[in-house]
Amino acid sequence: MMESLASADPITRGLAAAALTKGLSAVLLFDVTAEQFASFVATARSILEVTAGPVRQVTVGASESEDMLWGRYEPTNNAEGPPLLWRPGPLNAPAGTEGLVLACIPDLSQLSLPVTRSLVMLLGADVAHVERYGQRARFAPHIFWLAACSSAATARLSVHMLDRFVLRLHPPRLRQVDAVAELLLALRAEPQRIPNAPQTLSPKVEHELQQAKTRWPEFTEEGARSVIAHQLSAPRELALARLAHAFGRLDPDATQVLVSHVTTAARSIGLKPVTEQPAPEPAPPEPQAPDAPSSQKKSNDSPAAPAVAAAASTGSPSVGTTPSIEARVSENVALPAAPIAAASHPYPEDTLPSERDASPLRLPFHRAARERTLRGVILGSEPARDLRDLALVSTLFEAAKFRAVREQLSKDGERPLFLAPVDLRSYRRAPSPEQALVLLLDYTSLDGCQWLEALLPHLKWAYVERATVCLIQVGAAAARHSLRAERRVFASVLVPALAEALELGAGQATPLAHGLELARQTLQHVLQHGRHSAQRARLVVVSDGRGNVPLAASMAGEITGPVSRGGVMDALRSAERLRAIDRREIVFLNPEPRAYPELPLTLARALGAEPRPIARLTQRKVAL
Amino acid sequence: MDKVDKSLGADAIHILPYSRIVGQEQLKLALELSYVAPHIGGALIVGQRGTAKSTAVRAFALMVYGDLPVTLPINATEDRVIGGWDIDALMRGQARPQPGLLEEADGRVLYIDEVNLLDDHIINLILDVTSTGVLSKQREGLAANKQVAFTLVGTMNPEEGSLRPQLLDRFGLLVGVSAEKDPEKRSQILRTVLEFDKALHAVRSKQNSEFLSQGMAKDRELRESLQRARDSLDAVVFSKDMAALCIALAAEFEVEGHRGDYVTASAARALAAIEGSKAVTAQHVRQVAPLALSHRRREFLASGQWFWSAKEEARLDKHVSR
C-alpha cells in the first residue's frame, strides 16, 4: 500500500501529476520491464480512479488494426434483426459512456503503422473524428495514455508521434531492495503473479489527490521565466509548465507555482537544471502566503535534512526564490528516491542517430506500374481489383450489408447471402521488399577512388525497387571489434543512418573473410527464410581483396599465430561458397589498388563476377 | 452534425477562443483572407507540433460558423469521403444514400488535419472534385453528380513528408508557421495556455470563467468585422496597375501556372476589405504575395522543401517599390 505521495517513487509522483492535468495525459515510460510496466499501470489506474472516477482499461497491442481501433461491423446471431451491428472501437466509445479510458501500450516500438497513425490523431487532441464505413463520430478523447518503450528504440519511431507523449519518465535506476532477497522471492512466487491488480492507495494518498483536485495555484512570473529558461520546444515547454503546476497542486502548502516547482518538475523527467540569466532588475522576493508557514521553514532547513528532501519531493516551494535554478536545485529540490543520471534524458530521439524511414507515418504507395504485392503484413482491406488475395471475411461482411435489399429480389423466399462482384475485397498489405541489396564495403580499400559514385547506380536501383539494404562493414573505423566485420540492416536506402554508415573511415584491420561469410549468411537469410523473403538479391562487393584477418581469428576474436596469406585465402574460400547461392546477382567493384593489383581480380573470379573498375580520384580532387 | 458540446462534462469539446491565440499573425491572416474571399481556395498551414495550427483552424471555424469545421480525418474510408449508402438502413432493406464529407462541406470549410498523411486514393478523390467542382458518385449502385465548392484548409507537419504538387496547388495560400522565439511572446503563450487550463478547470467545477467569456466576446466582434469585410469585398477597387503588379510578381518568382497571380489579387482585395480600404494598394499586394506565391515556385515544386527567406522578402520589396 502506498502510504503517501511524498514517499513514492518518481514515476508514481509523475503519474499522480499527470492524472491531475489533462494536458499531461500521455505518459511514456522508458526502459521498464514488463513487470514494472504492469505495476505502474495498476498504480496509474488506482490514481485515476481517485482523480477522474471510473476507469476502463484498454491494451493497445502490436497486432491491432484500424478496424479494431476505430470500430467495425460484427455479425449478430439474431435471425430477425440486421445481420451486422456496428461496434465502436475501444478508444471511441459512444457518447455518454462513463469513465476515462486508460490506454496501455506495453511496447510502443512494436505498434503497427495503422495504430501509430491513429495515435497521432488521438494523442493530445482536443477533438477526434471517425469517418468509417458509413459511421461517424466526433468526440473529445477522454483517454489517459501510458506507454512503455526502450529509449534506444526511439531512434526508429516517428518523432511526430513521440512528440505527443508529453511526459517522459524513467524508472529508478538504483535498486533500493536487496537483490538477492528479491530474486529468491521471485523464484518462490507463482510464475503468473504479475502485479496487475489495482494497487491500493492509502487514505492519506487519496486525501492528497482529492485535495489537489480542488487546488489551483497561480504561476509566478519567476516560475514562468524559469520554464522558458530551459529553452525547450513549445510543446515540451508547456509540458514542463504543466508538470510544475501539477506539483504545485500536489503541494498542500503552495499557493503559487514557484521556481522550485519548475526545478522539481525538470529533474523528475531528467532534464538537466539550467542556470537562468539574471533578471533585468532584481526580482522581488516571493510574497509569503499567509497560510504557508511551513514553506519558509523548509527553505531555511539544511539541504541535508530529511525533511527538506521530503518537501522537495512533493515540490514544496520555498520563500524568496533565487534567480538561479541550479542554486535552487542544490539547496533543496533534489528528488530523494531516484537520482537522475545524465543517461535518463527525456528526449533520447533528439540525440540518437536516426534509424527511421523518411516518412514513417505514411501509408505505402500504390504503384500503378507494378503488380500489387501479395505478401507483407496485412494493414486492412480494400475493394478488390482482381481475384487474388481476397479478404474473405471482409467480403462476406460487405455482402451482408446488402442482404436485406437483395433478398427482396429473391423469388424463392429463402435468405441466401448473395455475393456480388462489388462486394469483393482484398487485403491491403504493407510492402514487403521483393529485392534486397547486400553491400559489402571494405573501408580499408577506398582510399583514392571514387567509390561512392560507383555505388550510386546500385543505391538508385535499391530505391526504385524499394529494396531492403544490408551493409556489411569490413574494416570500418568505428567497428566494435577490429577483427570482425559488422552487419547493419536498413529498411530502405532512405534511412538517414545508411549515409552516415557509408561515410565511416578506415579502421586498423581487414576482416574480409568474415565480411564475406556475413554476406553469405545474409543472402541465405533474405532469400530463403520466412514468409516474406525476397525474390532476388544483389550483392555488391567493394574490396581490394587484401584480407589480413583469417576467418578463425575473426570467430575467436583474437589472432593466435602468424597470419601470412591466411586472411586472403579464407576470403577466397568464403567467396566460392557465396557463389553457390541461387537468385543472386554479384557485382564486384575493383578499386584497382597499386599494390597487389591481381588480388581483387582473383577475388572477383572466386565470386563469379566480372570486375568493374572504380575510377581513381584525380590529383586535384585528392588535394581537395 | 451536432453543434459543439458546450456542456460541462469531461467529454465536452473545448477549444481556445480564436481571439485568445497569441502570435501566429500570418496564420490568422490566411484564415481570415480565405473566409472573406472564399474563391482564394483556402490555406495550407505547415509547421511543427505545438504551433497552434489545428487549434487556430478549429477556433476560427467555431468563431465564424459557430461549429467545428467539417473534418476529413486520415482514418476516413472512401464511402465517407464521397458518400455511399446508409448502411444501417440498408441492412433493414431500405436503400438510402448517405452524403459524404465533400458534399457536407459544400459552401463551408473542409479541414484536413495531417493532410500529408492522407491516403493517396483519398487525395485523388479530393483532386477530382476540386479541379472540376463536380462530385461524381459512381459506386456500389450509386450514380449521381453534384456541384460542390468548399474552402480547403489543411495542416501538416513537414517532418512527415510533403504534398503532391497537384494537391498543393489546390490550396490558395500557404503559411509556414514556426514556434515563437521571443521569450516575452513565449511567456505570453505559456500564460495563455495555463489560463485556458484554469478556465476549463473552472468550467468543470461549474464556475464561470472570465477568460473564456471575454474571449468569446472578442470573437463575436471579430466575426462581425470579418462579415462586414466579406460583404464589402466586391466594392473594393482593384486597378489595372495592381493587376500588373500581381502578374509581375508571379513572373519574378517563376510561379507555375496562372493561379498564383489570381490568388495574390484575390487575397490583396480581401485584405483591403478587412482593413476597410476602398481600393487595393501595392502594400496590400506586398503583404499577401508570400502566402500566395511561395508554394507555387518552381524551386519549391522541384525540391519539395518550402522556404521563404529574407532574400525573397528583399526581392519582393525591391519589385513592389519600383
Side-chain angles (χ1 to χ4, degrees), chain B residues 26 29 33 172-174 245-246 249-250 253 255 260-261 263-265 267-268 271 282-297 306 308 312-313 316-317 320:
Chain B
Q26 289 293 91
L29 177 64
L33 294 174
L173 309 173
L174 184 142
L245 177 59
C246 292
L249 286 178
F253 287 96
V255 166
D261 47 36
V263 173
T264 307
L271 178 60
Q283 276 314 307
H284 291 132
V285 176
R286 161 71 183 84
Q287 197 173 336
V288 301
L291 301 175
L293 302 180
S294 64
H295 58 302
R296 296 191 165 87
R297 287 181 304 154
W306 181 83
W308 186 270
E312 278 74 28
E313 288 286 311
L316 196 55
D317 283 334
V320 171

Side-chain angles (χ1 to χ4, degrees), chain A residues 423-439:
Chain A
D423 301 331
L424 294 176
R425 294 184 71 80
S426 58
Y427 288 117
R428 179 159 198 189
R429 295 176 180 273
S432 176
E434 303 264 336
Q435 310 273 357
L437 172 66
V438 180
L439 181 58

Side-chain angles (χ1 to χ4, degrees), chain A residues 8 19 31 101 121 159 195 237 274 291 318 365 374 421 465 474 478 530 550 570 577 598 606:
Chain A
D31 306 317
V101 175
M121 291 178 62
V159 175
E237 197 168 84
V274 295
D291 59 345
S318 59
F365 293 103
L374 302 181
E465 295 294 334
V474 174
D570 280 356
R577 281 198 293 272
E598 76 288 355

Side-chain angles (χ1 to χ4, degrees), chain B residues 189-230:
Chain B
I189 292 169
L190 198 62
R191 291 193 157 279
T192 302
V193 177
L194 293 170
E195 275 294 313
F196 186 52
D197 283 352
K198 182 184 173 186
L200 296 187
H201 183 255
V203 168
R204 290 189 186 111
S205 310
K206 300 187 175 13
Q207 293 166 0
N208 289 327
S209 162
E210 205 170 317
F211 175 85
L212 286 182
S213 52
Q214 282 181 356
M216 284 191 270
K218 279 188 185 167
D219 274 8
R220 278 193 293 276
E221 285 173 26
L222 184 54
R223 181 181 60 207
E224 284 161 16
S225 154
L226 290 175
Q227 189 58 50
R228 282 196 296 276
R230 191 168 166 151

Side-chain angles (χ1 to χ4, degrees), chain B residues 229-242:
Chain B
R230 191 168 166 151
D231 295 342
S232 65
L233 182 68
D234 291 342
V236 175
V237 176
F238 193 84
S239 67
K240 277 187 181 175
D241 286 350
M242 291 303 106

Side-chain angles (χ1 to χ4, degrees), chain A residues 230-432:
Chain A
H230 281 78
Q231 299 192 330
L232 302 167
S233 67
R236 292 173 181 178
E237 197 168 84
L238 190 55
L240 178 60
R242 282 174 163 151
L243 186 60
H245 188 264
F247 281 163
R249 292 175 75 184
L250 286 166
D251 178 356
D253 300 321
T255 54
Q256 291 182 309
V257 181
L258 306 175
V259 174
S260 58
H261 293 112
V262 177
T263 308
T264 306
R267 289 181 64 85
S268 74
I269 57 175
L271 279 178
K272 284 182 185 171
V274 295
T275 303
E276 193 183 30
Q277 294 301 313
E281 49 191 354
E286 283 291 332
Q288 185 181 340
D291 59 345
S294 58
S295 296
Q296 184 166 24
K297 183 172 181 298
K298 286 169 191 166
S299 72
N300 295 332
D301 280 340
S302 155
V308 173
S313 70
T314 55
S316 181
S318 59
V319 173
T321 54
T322 65
S324 163
I325 295 176
E326 199 157 31
R328 170 67 52 203
V329 170
S330 63
E331 278 173 26
N332 65 351
V333 200
L335 285 165
I340 303 294
S344 323
H345 192 271
Y347 309 111
E349 70 270 25
D350 291 357
T351 49
L352 289 169
S354 169
E355 293 174 22
R356 59 187 68 86
D357 284 348
S359 306
L361 293 178
R362 294 184 105 155
L363 287 172
F365 293 103
H366 281 291
R367 302 182 69 212
R370 197 168 147 187
E371 287 213 338
R372 177 166 65 90
T373 178
L374 302 181
R375 306 176 312 128
V377 177
I378 295 169
L379 297 176
S381 68
E382 59 189 357
R385 284 173 281 166
D386 51 45
L387 294 177
R388 296 174 305 157
D389 203 23
L390 289 178
L392 295 179
V393 175
S394 299
T395 299
L396 291 174
F397 279 12
E398 198 64 23
K401 293 176 193 168
F402 297 91
R403 185 175 190 170
V405 175
R406 289 175 186 164
E407 74 183 10
Q408 290 168 6
L409 306 174
S410 169
K411 290 175 184 168
D412 52 13
E414 290 190 7
R415 303 191 68 198
L417 183 62
F418 288 106
L419 269 181
V422 73
D423 301 331
L424 294 176
R425 294 184 71 80
S426 58
Y427 288 117
R428 179 159 198 189
R429 295 176 180 273
S432 176

Side-chain angles (χ1 to χ4, degrees), chain A residues 109-333:
Chain A
S109 64
Q110 296 300 318
L111 293 184
S112 64
L113 175 62
V115 178
T116 311
R117 285 163 57 86
S118 304
L119 289 195
V120 169
M121 291 178 62
L122 283 168
L123 281 161
D126 296 320
V127 57
H129 299 258
V130 180
E131 300 283 353
R132 296 177 69 77
Y133 309 125
Q135 299 289 329
R136 53 188 331 196
R138 182 175 77 174
F139 59 100
H142 196 36
I143 306 170
F144 187 96
W145 297 90
L146 187 57
C149 180
S150 82
S151 45
T154 57
R156 300 196 302 271
L157 299 176
S158 155
V159 175
H160 191 38
M161 191 251 305
L162 284 170
D163 264 354
R164 283 166 149 76
F165 283 94
V166 289
L167 184 56
R168 318 285 189 87
L169 298 168
H170 288 263
R173 291 170 62 82
L174 299 177
R175 303 187 79 172
Q176 302 291 320
V177 296
D178 180 348
V180 174
E182 192 183 59
L183 178 60
L184 291 175
L185 188 68
L187 289 172
R188 277 202 302 272
E190 296 289 325
Q192 65 269 34
R193 276 188 60 191
I194 292 172
N196 53 7
Q199 188 172 337
T200 318
L201 303 179
S202 71
K204 187 181 175 192
V205 173
E206 283 195 24
H207 179 70
E208 285 176 313
L209 291 169
Q210 290 289 2
Q211 289 297 303
K213 273 172 71 178
T214 58
R215 212 176 286 131
W216 197 273
E218 295 290 336
F219 234 97
T220 59
E221 223 19 88
E222 290 76 12
R225 270 212 299 275
S226 70
V227 171
I228 304 284
H230 281 78
Q231 299 192 330
L232 302 167
S233 67
R236 292 173 181 178
E237 197 168 84
L238 190 55
L240 178 60
R242 282 174 163 151
L243 186 60
H245 188 264
F247 281 163
R249 292 175 75 184
L250 286 166
D251 178 356
D253 300 321
T255 54
Q256 291 182 309
V257 181
L258 306 175
V259 174
S260 58
H261 293 112
V262 177
T263 308
T264 306
R267 289 181 64 85
S268 74
I269 57 175
L271 279 178
K272 284 182 185 171
V274 295
T275 303
E276 193 183 30
Q277 294 301 313
E281 49 191 354
E286 283 291 332
Q288 185 181 340
D291 59 345
S294 58
S295 296
Q296 184 166 24
K297 183 172 181 298
K298 286 169 191 166
S299 72
N300 295 332
D301 280 340
S302 155
V308 173
S313 70
T314 55
S316 181
S318 59
V319 173
T321 54
T322 65
S324 163
I325 295 176
E326 199 157 31
R328 170 67 52 203
V329 170
S330 63
E331 278 173 26
N332 65 351
V333 200

